[in-house]
Amino acid sequence: MSEHLLKVENLGINFINGKDNRVNAVHDVSFELSRGEILGIVGESGCGKSVTATSLLRLLPKGSSELSKGSSIKLNGRELTTLTDKEFREVRGKEISMIFQEPMTSLNPVHTIGRQMMEMVMAHNKISRKNAFEICVEMLEKVGIPESRQRMGEYPFQLSGGMRQRVMIAMALSCNPSLLVADEPTTALDVTIQAQILELILEIKQNLGTAIILITHDMGVVAETTDKVMVMYAGEIVEYDGVKEIFHHPMHPYTIGLMNSIPRLNQTTERLATIEGTVPDLNCMPSGCRFANRCPYCTDRCREAAPPLVQLGGNRRVRCWRVGETQEVSAR
């Protein structure tokens, strides 16, 4: 049995554009996750967060995407990249489940909630429809949906956005997976419902021991819910460590910029801090550091050579040539 529930090593993802043109969307991503841990993946749109998570469930479009040579994804010590599609269908939904980004469109509008939930339960368990129905009712109750038996016969349009997201969570948990991937689960929900969903995710971790990968833009959510943080930029990990270490001692200039952009209640400012510039185009990545054109600490070396992801003390990993210097001017 593996020490870690999930171990990802040297993950690379290419998108195939035309016959021989391959665009590298994710490069050299490695991380680990143990049971009962929550890993937060943060970064701007287009940094590879969702692509990385989606690849774990083999949901990237077949024929137009591929894993780079040497990519490894192990769950409980079992290599997933070598499984056939048929073998992987036994893993997806049962051992790894996903809460998708948009609850409004993730459910099929022409089928009842019950039919959609029972379909997955029966696909992974040899049980009767009656038993599958009872399991689904129980899961809806666990995620706080009242009158769950009645809800089983309703359609998605009859539920609010928060209720639909709870249904998605119940569906993801219906086969008791060991790993749950939540891709911005609070998107398009109001603040009150966001708090309820995040509280539910924490309860799942504590009560079921489920490992969770949480993808979000909200640094406040990361601070409140996660154990470890992986900061991604332009398809690469730029910093990785425990949540307290990342928030109190950010080392990479990009992480520092993210921390500086968080509004603070104890400070009055006329203008919020921003990170100037934009994420580079996947088709024309710079030869050096991918953050060089936006970095206030950039040197000629940064523009010419790509920095490796360096392991520092403890679990800290940072991809920066000037990591010792940037630490001195970090946000906190």
Side-chain angles (χ1 to χ4, degrees):
M1 186 67 69
S2 171
E3 178 184 354
H4 299 288
L5 171 70
L6 177 70
K7 189 175 181 66
V8 177
E9 294 181 291
N10 307 315
L11 178 65
I13 302 169
N14 298 320
F15 287 121
I16 304 169
N17 182 16
K19 186 176 180 180
D20 298 314
N21 185 23
R22 282 168 169 74
V23 178
N24 184 231
V26 170
H27 173 253
D28 189 28
V29 168
S30 300
F31 62 92
E32 311 84 28
L33 191 61
S34 299
R35 289 173 179 76
E37 279 190 329
I38 300 182
L39 169 67
I41 304 181
V42 300
E44 292 168 272
S45 295
C47 285
K49 307 183 301 297
S50 295
V51 172
T52 298
T54 306
S55 70
L56 302 181
L57 287 92
R58 202 181 286 185
L59 291 175
L60 293 173
K62 201 169 183 180
S64 58
S65 64
E66 64 180 11
L67 296 185
S68 302
K69 187 177 180 180
S71 297
S72 173
I73 303 172
K74 290 182 180 177
L75 184 69
N76 282 322
R78 183 188 187 188
E79 181 61 58
L80 301 184
T81 61
T82 58
L83 298 182
T84 64
D85 288 343
K86 182 178 179 181
E87 290 172 332
F88 200 89
R89 280 196 293 271
E90 295 296 317
V91 175
R92 188 192 301 119
K94 187 174 184 180
E95 297 181 52
I96 309 177
S97 279
M98 186 165 186
I99 306 170
F100 292 94
Q101 190 170 137
E102 183 49 78
M104 311 301 179
T105 57
S106 297
L107 292 167
N108 191 322
V110 301
H111 294 305
T112 63
I113 297 300
R115 177 173 177 176
Q116 295 181 65
M117 291 189 67
M118 290 168 61
E119 182 180 16
M120 189 164 107
V121 173
M122 295 179 71
H124 292 289
N125 301 281
K126 295 180 179 179
I127 57 176
S128 66
R129 289 185 63 83
K130 182 179 179 180
N131 287 339
F133 183 90
E134 294 301 325
I135 289 173
C136 293
V137 168
E138 182 182 354
M139 289 310 305
L140 290 178
E141 290 174 349
K142 282 185 177 180
V143 298
I145 293 183
E147 302 175 342
S148 55
R149 289 184 180 276
Q150 176 185 327
R151 301 297 184 190
M152 288 285 285
E154 294 181 350
Y155 291 86
F157 74 87
Q158 295 177 276
L159 306 181
S160 66
M163 293 282 256
R164 274 180 277 197
Q165 190 62 290
R166 287 174 184 270
V167 169
M168 291 298 299
I169 294 173
M171 191 181 299
L173 294 174
S174 59
C175 292
N176 195 26
S178 52
L179 175 63
L180 178 64
V181 179
D183 189 358
E184 300 194 41
T186 57
T187 297
L189 302 177
D190 63 57
V191 176
T192 303
I193 302 301
Q194 284 184 27
Q196 293 174 0
I197 296 298
L198 292 173
E199 184 179 354
L200 178 58
I201 288 175
L202 287 174
E203 288 177 2
I204 291 167
K205 167 195 169 181
Q206 293 165 1
N207 298 335
L208 303 178
T210 307
I212 301 170
I213 295 177
L214 177 63
I215 301 170
T216 181
H217 289 278
D218 192 329
M219 299 301 287
V221 168
V222 172
E224 290 180 15
T225 60
T226 65
D227 301 299
K228 298 188 292 190
V229 181
M230 185 168 85
V231 183
M232 292 191 70
Y233 182 80
E236 294 182 330
I237 297 175
V238 294
E239 191 159 4
Y240 178 93
D241 203 352
V243 62
K244 291 183 179 179
E245 290 76 13
I246 290 287
F247 271 77
H248 292 295
H249 303 289
M251 292 184 177
H252 193 280
Y254 180 61
T255 312
I256 294 171
L258 291 178
M259 297 302 168
N260 284 335
S261 66
I262 301 173
R264 291 175 175 77
L265 295 176
N266 60 350
Q267 292 181 8
T268 301
T269 179
E270 294 183 3
R271 191 184 183 110
L272 292 176
T274 61
I275 302 174
E276 299 295 331
T278 59
V279 180
D281 192 311
L282 289 176
N283 289 296
C284 52
M285 283 291 178
S287 56
C289 174
R290 297 186 177 187
F291 188 62
N293 67 326
R294 307 174 70 187
C295 181
Y297 315 107
C298 180
T299 65
D300 290 339
R301 185 187 188 190
C302 300
R303 297 186 187 93
E304 294 167 0
L309 187 66
V310 178
Q311 177 88 40
L312 302 178
N315 295 315
R316 179 64 62 98
R317 302 170 203 168
V318 184
R319 191 184 299 275
C320 181
W321 289 122
R322 303 186 64 186
V323 62
E325 301 168 56
T326 57
Q327 185 180 9
E328 300 300 322
V329 292
S330 62
R332 296 170 186 255

